[in-house]
Amino acid sequence: FELKGETHTFCNALRKELELTKGVELSVYTIDHPLVGVPKFQIETKGVEPRKALKDALKTLKKKADDFKKEASKF
């Protein structure tokens, strides 16, 4: 799948979260050109549908971001 409009910052976070998701065996992405390239992901899973693994990773990543935002607002 492709993530139009995203950069290495979000892609690295998503890739890492996918690696921690149960059933994901491989999670990689590439950006062909640093200025105009669109990130392209590849996910390989075992025992879980790739879309479910992606949804689970995104849900966890959103929770982590919300928790970070909450903690950061205390300062």
Side-chain angles (χ1 to χ4, degrees):
F1 64 92
E2 295 182 354
L3 285 176
K4 294 179 182 176
E6 292 300 334
T7 63
H8 284 290
T9 304
F10 180 74
C11 290
N12 273 318
L14 178 57
R15 179 192 56 80
K16 187 65 173 175
E17 198 58 51
L18 279 163
E19 289 177 357
L20 299 173
T21 302
K22 184 177 179 180
V24 175
E25 297 203 340
L26 175 73
S27 172
V28 296
Y29 77 93
T30 62
I31 299 178
D32 293 335
H33 189 279
L35 297 177
V36 295
V38 175
K40 296 177 185 176
F41 268 83
Q42 180 180 352
I43 303 172
E44 291 183 14
T45 61
K46 185 174 183 178
V48 64
E49 289 293 320
R51 286 180 192 251
K52 180 177 179 349
L54 178 60
K55 286 180 183 180
D56 291 347
L58 288 169
K59 188 176 182 180
T60 303
L61 192 57
K62 182 178 182 332
K63 181 175 179 347
K64 287 180 179 181
D66 290 343
D67 290 347
F68 178 78
K69 184 178 177 182
K70 183 178 175 182
E71 288 297 316
S73 68
K74 292 179 181 178
F75 295 103

Coordinates of all heavy atoms in Angstrom, one line a residue:
F1 N 0.8 -1.2 0.0 CA 0.0 0.0 0.0 C 0.9 1.2 0.0 O 2.1 1.2 0.3 CB -1.0 0.0 1.2 CG -0.3 0.1 2.5 CD1 -0.1 1.3 3.2 CD2 0.1 -1.1 3.2 CE1 0.5 1.4 4.4 CE2 0.6 -1.0 4.5 CZ 0.9 0.2 5.1
E2 N 0.3 2.4 -0.4 CA 1.1 3.6 -0.4 C 0.5 4.6 0.6 O -0.7 4.6 0.9 CB 0.9 4.3 -1.8 CG 1.6 3.5 -2.9 CD 1.5 4.1 -4.3 OE1 0.8 5.1 -4.4 OE2 2.1 3.6 -5.2
L3 N 1.3 5.5 1.1 CA 0.9 6.5 2.1 C 1.3 7.9 1.5 O 2.3 8.5 1.8 CB 1.6 6.3 3.4 CG 1.1 5.2 4.3 CD1 2.0 5.1 5.5 CD2 -0.3 5.5 4.7
K4 N 0.4 8.4 0.6 CA 0.7 9.7 0.0 C 0.7 10.8 1.0 O -0.1 10.8 1.9 CB -0.4 10.0 -1.1 CG -0.4 9.0 -2.2 CD -1.4 9.3 -3.2 CE -1.3 8.3 -4.3 NZ -2.4 8.4 -5.3
G5 N 1.6 11.7 0.9 CA 1.7 12.8 1.8 C 2.5 12.6 3.1 O 2.6 13.5 3.9
E6 N 3.0 11.4 3.3 CA 3.7 11.1 4.5 C 5.2 11.1 4.3 O 5.7 11.0 3.2 CB 3.3 9.7 5.1 CG 1.9 9.7 5.6 CD 1.6 10.7 6.7 OE1 2.5 11.1 7.4 OE2 0.4 11.1 6.8
T7 N 6.0 11.2 5.4 CA 7.4 11.3 5.3 C 8.0 10.1 6.1 O 7.3 9.3 6.7 CB 7.9 12.6 5.9 OG1 7.6 12.6 7.3 CG2 7.3 13.8 5.2
H8 N 9.3 10.1 6.2 CA 10.0 9.0 7.0 C 9.6 9.0 8.5 O 9.5 8.0 9.1 CB 11.5 9.2 6.9 CG 12.1 8.8 5.6 ND1 12.2 7.5 5.3 CD2 12.7 9.5 4.6 CE1 12.8 7.4 4.1 NE2 13.1 8.7 3.7
T9 N 9.2 10.2 9.0 CA 8.9 10.3 10.4 C 7.7 9.3 10.7 O 7.8 8.4 11.6 CB 8.5 11.7 10.8 OG1 9.6 12.6 10.5 CG2 8.2 11.8 12.3
F10 N 6.6 9.5 10.1 CA 5.5 8.6 10.3 C 5.7 7.2 9.8 O 5.3 6.2 10.5 CB 4.2 9.2 9.6 CG 3.0 8.3 9.9 CD1 2.4 8.3 11.1 CD2 2.5 7.5 8.9 CE1 1.3 7.5 11.4 CE2 1.4 6.7 9.1 CZ 0.8 6.7 10.4
C11 N 6.3 7.0 8.7 CA 6.6 5.7 8.1 C 7.4 4.9 9.0 O 7.2 3.7 9.2 CB 7.2 5.8 6.7 SG 6.1 6.5 5.5
N12 N 8.5 5.4 9.6 CA 9.3 4.7 10.5 C 8.5 4.3 11.8 O 8.7 3.1 12.3 CB 10.5 5.5 10.9 CG 11.7 5.3 10.0 OD1 12.0 4.2 9.5 ND2 12.4 6.4 9.7
A13 N 7.7 5.2 12.3 CA 6.9 4.8 13.5 C 5.9 3.7 13.1 O 5.8 2.7 13.9 CB 6.1 6.0 14.0
L14 N 5.3 3.8 12.0 CA 4.3 2.7 11.6 C 5.1 1.4 11.3 O 4.6 0.3 11.8 CB 3.6 3.1 10.3 CG 2.6 2.1 9.8 CD1 1.6 1.7 10.9 CD2 1.9 2.7 8.6
R15 N 6.2 1.4 10.7 CA 7.0 0.2 10.4 C 7.3 -0.5 11.7 O 7.2 -1.7 11.9 CB 8.2 0.5 9.6 CG 9.1 -0.7 9.3 CD 10.5 -0.3 8.8 NE 11.2 0.6 9.7 CZ 11.8 0.2 10.8 NH1 11.9 -1.0 11.1 NH2 12.5 1.1 11.5
K16 N 7.8 0.3 12.7 CA 8.2 -0.2 13.9 C 7.0 -0.8 14.7 O 7.1 -1.9 15.3 CB 8.9 0.8 14.8 CG 9.5 0.3 16.1 CD 10.6 -0.6 15.8 CE 11.4 -1.0 17.0 NZ 12.4 -2.0 16.8
E17 N 5.9 -0.2 14.7 CA 4.7 -0.7 15.4 C 4.2 -1.9 14.7 O 3.8 -2.9 15.4 CB 3.6 0.4 15.4 CG 2.6 0.2 16.4 CD 3.1 0.1 17.8 OE1 3.8 1.0 18.2 OE2 2.8 -0.9 18.5
L18 N 4.3 -2.0 13.4 CA 3.9 -3.2 12.7 C 4.8 -4.4 13.1 O 4.3 -5.5 13.2 CB 4.0 -3.0 11.1 CG 2.8 -2.3 10.5 CD1 3.1 -1.8 9.1 CD2 1.6 -3.2 10.5
E19 N 6.1 -4.1 13.2 CA 7.0 -5.2 13.7 C 6.6 -5.8 15.0 O 6.9 -6.9 15.3 CB 8.4 -4.7 13.7 CG 9.0 -4.4 12.3 CD 10.4 -3.8 12.4 OE1 10.9 -3.6 13.5 OE2 11.0 -3.6 11.3
L20 N 6.0 -4.9 15.9 CA 5.6 -5.4 17.2 C 4.3 -6.0 17.2 O 3.8 -6.5 18.3 CB 5.7 -4.2 18.2 CG 7.0 -3.5 18.3 CD1 6.9 -2.2 19.2 CD2 8.0 -4.4 19.0
T21 N 3.5 -6.0 16.1 CA 2.2 -6.5 16.0 C 2.2 -8.0 15.8 O 2.9 -8.5 15.0 CB 1.4 -5.8 14.9 OG1 1.4 -4.4 15.1 CG2 0.0 -6.3 14.8
K22 N 1.4 -8.7 16.6 CA 1.3 -10.1 16.5 C 0.9 -10.6 15.1 O 0.0 -10.1 14.5 CB 0.3 -10.7 17.5 CG 0.2 -12.2 17.6 CD -0.8 -12.6 18.6 CE -0.9 -14.1 18.6 NZ -1.8 -14.6 19.6
G23 N 1.7 -11.5 14.6 CA 1.4 -12.1 13.3 C 2.2 -11.5 12.1 O 2.2 -12.0 11.0
V24 N 2.8 -10.3 12.4 CA 3.6 -9.6 11.3 C 5.0 -10.2 11.3 O 5.7 -10.2 12.3 CB 3.6 -8.1 11.5 CG1 4.5 -7.4 10.5 CG2 2.2 -7.5 11.5
E25 N 5.4 -10.7 10.1 CA 6.7 -11.3 10.0 C 7.6 -10.3 9.3 O 8.8 -10.4 9.4 CB 6.6 -12.6 9.2 CG 5.8 -13.6 10.0 CD 6.1 -15.0 9.5 OE1 6.7 -15.2 8.5 OE2 5.8 -15.9 10.3
L26 N 7.1 -9.4 8.4 CA 7.9 -8.5 7.7 C 7.2 -7.2 7.5 O 6.0 -7.2 7.2 CB 8.3 -9.0 6.3 CG 9.1 -8.1 5.4 CD1 10.5 -7.9 5.9 CD2 9.0 -8.6 4.0
S27 N 7.8 -6.1 7.7 CA 7.3 -4.8 7.5 C 8.4 -3.8 7.0 O 9.3 -3.6 7.7 CB 6.7 -4.2 8.8 OG 6.3 -2.9 8.6
V28 N 8.3 -3.4 5.7 CA 9.3 -2.6 5.1 C 8.6 -1.5 4.3 O 7.4 -1.6 3.9 CB 10.3 -3.3 4.2 CG1 11.1 -4.3 5.0 CG2 9.6 -4.0 3.1
Y29 N 9.3 -0.4 4.1 CA 8.8 0.6 3.2 C 10.0 1.2 2.4 O 11.1 1.2 2.9 CB 8.0 1.7 3.9 CG 8.8 2.7 4.6 CD1 9.2 3.9 4.0 CD2 9.3 2.5 5.9 CE1 10.0 4.9 4.7 CE2 10.0 3.4 6.6 CZ 10.4 4.6 6.0 OH 11.1 5.5 6.7
T30 N 9.7 1.8 1.3 CA 10.6 2.5 0.5 C 10.0 3.8 0.0 O 8.8 4.0 -0.1 CB 11.1 1.7 -0.8 OG1 10.0 1.5 -1.6 CG2 11.7 0.4 -0.4
I31 N 10.9 4.8 -0.2 CA 10.5 6.1 -0.8 C 11.5 6.3 -2.0 O 12.7 6.4 -1.7 CB 10.6 7.3 0.2 CG1 9.6 7.0 1.3 CG2 10.3 8.6 -0.6 CD1 9.6 8.1 2.4
D32 N 11.0 6.2 -3.2 CA 11.9 6.2 -4.4 C 12.7 7.5 -4.5 O 13.8 7.5 -4.9 CB 11.1 5.9 -5.6 CG 10.6 4.5 -5.7 OD1 11.2 3.6 -5.0 OD2 9.6 4.2 -6.4
H33 N 12.1 8.6 -4.2 CA 12.7 9.9 -4.4 C 12.4 10.7 -3.1 O 11.3 10.9 -2.7 CB 12.2 10.6 -5.6 CG 13.0 11.9 -6.0 ND1 12.8 13.1 -5.3 CD2 14.0 12.1 -6.8 CE1 13.6 14.0 -5.8 NE2 14.4 13.4 -6.7
P34 N 13.5 11.3 -2.5 CA 13.3 12.0 -1.2 C 12.4 13.2 -1.3 O 11.7 13.6 -0.3 CB 14.7 12.4 -0.8 CG 15.5 12.2 -2.0 CD 14.9 11.3 -2.9
L35 N 12.2 13.8 -2.4 CA 11.4 15.0 -2.5 C 10.0 14.8 -3.1 O 9.1 15.4 -2.6 CB 12.1 16.1 -3.4 CG 13.4 16.6 -2.9 CD1 14.1 17.6 -3.9 CD2 13.3 17.3 -1.6
V36 N 9.9 13.9 -4.0 CA 8.5 13.7 -4.6 C 8.1 12.2 -4.5 O 7.0 11.9 -5.0 CB 8.6 14.1 -6.1 CG1 8.8 15.6 -6.2 CG2 9.6 13.3 -6.9
G37 N 8.8 11.4 -3.9 CA 8.4 10.0 -3.8 C 7.3 9.7 -2.8 O 7.1 10.5 -1.8
V38 N 6.5 8.7 -3.1 CA 5.4 8.3 -2.2 C 5.9 7.0 -1.5 O 6.3 6.0 -2.1 CB 4.2 8.0 -3.1 CG1 3.0 7.4 -2.2 CG2 3.7 9.2 -3.8
P39 N 5.7 7.0 -0.2 CA 6.1 5.8 0.6 C 5.3 4.6 0.2 O 4.1 4.7 0.1 CB 5.9 6.2 2.1 CG 5.8 7.7 2.1 CD 5.3 8.1 0.7
K40 N 6.0 3.5 -0.1 CA 5.3 2.2 -0.4 C 5.7 1.2 0.6 O 6.9 0.9 0.8 CB 5.8 1.8 -1.8 CG 5.4 2.8 -2.9 CD 5.9 2.4 -4.3 CE 5.6 3.4 -5.3 NZ 6.2 3.2 -6.6
F41 N 4.6 0.6 1.2 CA 4.8 -0.4 2.3 C 4.6 -1.8 1.8 O 3.8 -2.0 0.8 CB 3.8 -0.1 3.4 CG 4.3 0.7 4.5 CD1 4.3 2.1 4.4 CD2 4.8 0.2 5.7 CE1 4.7 2.9 5.4 CE2 5.2 1.0 6.7 CZ 5.2 2.3 6.6
Q42 N 5.3 -2.7 2.4 CA 5.0 -4.1 2.2 C 4.9 -4.8 3.5 O 5.8 -4.6 4.4 CB 6.1 -4.8 1.4 CG 5.9 -6.2 1.1 CD 7.1 -6.9 0.3 OE1 7.9 -6.2 -0.2 NE2 7.0 -8.2 0.2
I43 N 3.9 -5.6 3.7 CA 3.6 -6.3 5.0 C 3.5 -7.8 4.7 O 2.7 -8.1 3.8 CB 2.4 -5.8 5.7 CG1 2.4 -4.3 6.0 CG2 2.2 -6.6 7.0 CD1 1.1 -3.8 6.5
E44 N 4.1 -8.6 5.4 CA 3.9 -10.1 5.3 C 3.5 -10.6 6.7 O 4.1 -10.2 7.7 CB 5.2 -10.8 4.8 CG 5.5 -10.5 3.4 CD 6.8 -11.2 2.9 OE1 7.2 -12.2 3.6 OE2 7.3 -10.8 1.8
T45 N 2.4 -11.3 6.7 CA 1.9 -11.8 8.0 C 1.8 -13.3 7.9 O 1.8 -14.0 6.9 CB 0.5 -11.2 8.3 OG1 -0.4 -11.6 7.2 CG2 0.6 -9.7 8.3
K46 N 1.6 -13.9 9.1 CA 1.4 -15.3 9.3 C 0.3 -15.5 10.3 O 0.5 -15.1 11.5 CB 2.6 -16.1 9.7 CG 2.5 -17.6 9.7 CD 3.8 -18.2 10.0 CE 3.6 -19.8 9.9 NZ 4.8 -20.4 10.2
G47 N -0.9 -16.0 9.9 CA -1.9 -16.3 10.9 C -2.8 -15.1 11.1 O -3.7 -15.2 12.0
V48 N -2.6 -14.0 10.4 CA -3.5 -12.8 10.6 C -3.6 -12.1 9.3 O -2.6 -12.1 8.5 CB -2.9 -11.9 11.7 CG1 -1.6 -11.3 11.3 CG2 -3.9 -10.7 12.0
E49 N -4.7 -11.5 9.0 CA -4.9 -10.8 7.7 C -4.0 -9.5 7.8 O -4.0 -8.8 8.8 CB -6.4 -10.4 7.5 CG -7.2 -11.6 7.2 CD -6.9 -12.2 5.8 OE1 -6.6 -11.4 4.9 OE2 -6.9 -13.4 5.7
P50 N -3.3 -9.2 6.7 CA -2.5 -7.9 6.7 C -3.3 -6.7 7.0 O -2.8 -5.8 7.8 CB -2.0 -7.9 5.3 CG -2.0 -9.3 4.8 CD -3.2 -9.9 5.5
R51 N -4.5 -6.6 6.6 CA -5.3 -5.4 6.9 C -5.6 -5.3 8.4 O -5.6 -4.2 9.0 CB -6.7 -5.4 6.1 CG -6.5 -5.1 4.6 CD -7.8 -5.1 3.9 NE -7.6 -5.0 2.5 CZ -7.9 -4.0 1.7 NH1 -8.4 -2.9 2.3 NH2 -7.7 -4.1 0.4
K52 N -5.9 -6.4 9.0 CA -6.2 -6.4 10.5 C -4.9 -6.0 11.2 O -4.9 -5.2 12.2 CB -6.6 -7.8 10.9 CG -6.9 -7.8 12.4 CD -7.5 -9.1 12.9 CE -7.7 -9.2 14.4 NZ -7.2 -8.1 15.3
A53 N -3.8 -6.6 10.8 CA -2.5 -6.2 11.4 C -2.2 -4.7 11.3 O -1.8 -4.1 12.2 CB -1.3 -7.0 10.8
L54 N -2.5 -4.2 10.1 CA -2.3 -2.7 9.9 C -3.2 -1.9 10.8 O -2.8 -1.0 11.4 CB -2.5 -2.4 8.4 CG -2.4 -0.9 8.0 CD1 -1.0 -0.4 8.4 CD2 -2.7 -0.7 6.6
K55 N -4.5 -2.3 10.9 CA -5.5 -1.6 11.7 C -5.0 -1.7 13.2 O -5.1 -0.7 13.9 CB -6.9 -2.2 11.6 CG -7.5 -1.8 10.3 CD -8.9 -2.4 10.2 CE -9.5 -2.1 8.8 NZ -10.9 -2.7 8.7
D56 N -4.6 -2.8 13.6 CA -4.1 -3.0 15.0 C -2.9 -2.1 15.3 O -2.8 -1.4 16.3 CB -3.7 -4.4 15.3 CG -5.0 -5.4 15.3 OD1 -6.1 -4.9 15.4 OD2 -4.8 -6.6 15.3
A57 N -2.0 -2.1 14.4 CA -0.8 -1.2 14.5 C -1.1 0.3 14.6 O -0.6 1.0 15.4 CB 0.2 -1.5 13.4
L58 N -2.0 0.7 13.7 CA -2.4 2.1 13.7 C -3.2 2.5 14.9 O -3.0 3.5 15.5 CB -3.3 2.3 12.4 CG -2.6 2.4 11.1 CD1 -3.6 2.4 10.0 CD2 -1.7 3.6 11.0
K59 N -4.0 1.5 15.4 CA -4.7 1.8 16.7 C -3.7 2.0 17.9 O -3.9 2.9 18.7 CB -5.7 0.6 17.0 CG -6.6 0.8 18.1 CD -7.5 -0.4 18.1 CE -8.6 -0.3 19.2 NZ -9.4 -1.5 19.3
T60 N -2.8 1.1 17.9 CA -1.8 1.2 19.0 C -0.9 2.5 18.9 O -0.6 3.1 19.9 CB -0.8 0.0 19.0 OG1 -1.7 -1.2 19.1 CG2 0.2 0.0 20.1
L61 N -0.5 2.8 17.6 CA 0.3 4.0 17.4 C -0.5 5.2 17.8 O 0.0 6.2 18.4 CB 0.7 4.0 15.9 CG 1.7 5.0 15.5 CD1 3.0 4.9 16.3 CD2 2.0 4.9 14.0
K62 N -1.8 5.3 17.5 CA -2.6 6.4 17.8 C -2.7 6.6 19.4 O -2.6 7.7 19.9 CB -4.0 6.3 17.3 CG -4.9 7.5 17.6 CD -6.3 7.4 17.0 CE -7.2 8.6 17.2 NZ -7.0 9.4 18.4
K63 N -2.9 5.4 20.1 CA -2.9 5.5 21.5 C -1.6 6.0 22.1 O -1.6 6.8 23.0 CB -3.3 4.1 22.1 CG -3.3 4.1 23.6 CD -3.8 2.8 24.2 CE -3.8 2.8 25.7 NZ -3.3 3.8 26.5
K64 N -0.5 5.5 21.6 CA 0.8 6.0 22.0 C 1.0 7.5 21.8 O 1.5 8.2 22.6 CB 1.9 5.2 21.4 CG 2.1 3.8 21.9 CD 3.2 3.1 21.2 CE 3.4 1.7 21.7 NZ 4.5 1.0 21.0
A65 N 0.5 8.0 20.6 CA 0.6 9.4 20.3 C -0.3 10.2 21.3 O 0.1 11.3 21.7 CB 0.2 9.7 18.9
D66 N -1.5 9.7 21.5 CA -2.4 10.4 22.5 C -1.8 10.5 23.9 O -1.9 11.5 24.5 CB -3.8 9.7 22.5 CG -4.6 9.9 21.2 OD1 -4.2 10.8 20.4 OD2 -5.5 9.2 21.0
D67 N -1.2 9.3 24.3 CA -0.6 9.3 25.6 C 0.6 10.3 25.7 O 0.7 11.0 26.7 CB -0.1 7.9 25.9 CG -1.2 6.9 26.2 OD1 -2.4 7.4 26.3 OD2 -1.0 5.7 26.2
F68 N 1.4 10.3 24.6 CA 2.5 11.3 24.6 C 2.0 12.7 24.7 O 2.6 13.5 25.4 CB 3.3 11.0 23.3 CG 4.5 12.0 23.2 CD1 5.6 11.8 23.9 CD2 4.4 13.1 22.4 CE1 6.7 12.7 23.8 CE2 5.4 14.0 22.3 CZ 6.6 13.8 23.0
K69 N 1.0 13.0 23.9 CA 0.4 14.4 23.9 C -0.1 14.7 25.3 O 0.1 15.9 25.7 CB -0.7 14.4 22.8 CG -1.3 15.8 22.7 CD -2.4 15.8 21.6 CE -3.0 17.1 21.5 NZ -4.1 17.1 20.5
K70 N -0.7 13.8 25.9 CA -1.3 14.1 27.3 C -0.1 14.3 28.2 O -0.2 15.3 29.0 CB -2.1 12.9 27.7 CG -2.7 13.0 29.1 CD -3.5 11.8 29.4 CE -4.1 11.9 30.8 NZ -4.9 10.7 31.2
E71 N 0.9 13.5 28.2 CA 2.1 13.7 29.1 C 2.8 15.0 28.8 O 3.2 15.7 29.7 CB 3.0 12.6 29.0 CG 2.5 11.3 29.6 CD 2.3 11.4 31.1 OE1 3.2 12.0 31.8 OE2 1.3 11.0 31.6
A72 N 3.0 15.3 27.5 CA 3.7 16.6 27.1 C 2.9 17.8 27.5 O 3.5 18.9 27.8 CB 3.9 16.6 25.6
S73 N 1.6 17.7 27.6 CA 0.8 18.9 27.9 C 1.0 19.3 29.4 O 0.6 20.4 29.8 CB -0.7 18.7 27.6 OG -1.2 17.7 28.4
K74 N 1.5 18.4 30.2 CA 1.8 18.7 31.6 C 2.9 19.6 31.8 O 3.0 20.2 32.9 CB 2.1 17.4 32.4 CG 0.9 16.4 32.4 CD 1.2 15.2 33.1 CE 0.1 14.2 33.2 NZ 0.4 12.9 33.9
F75 N 3.7 19.8 30.8 CA 4.9 20.7 31.0 C 4.6 22.1 30.6 O 4.3 22.7 29.9 CB 6.1 20.1 30.2 CG 6.5 18.8 30.8 CD1 6.2 17.6 30.2 CD2 7.3 18.7 32.0 CE1 6.6 16.4 30.7 CE2 7.6 17.5 32.5 CZ 7.3 16.3 31.8

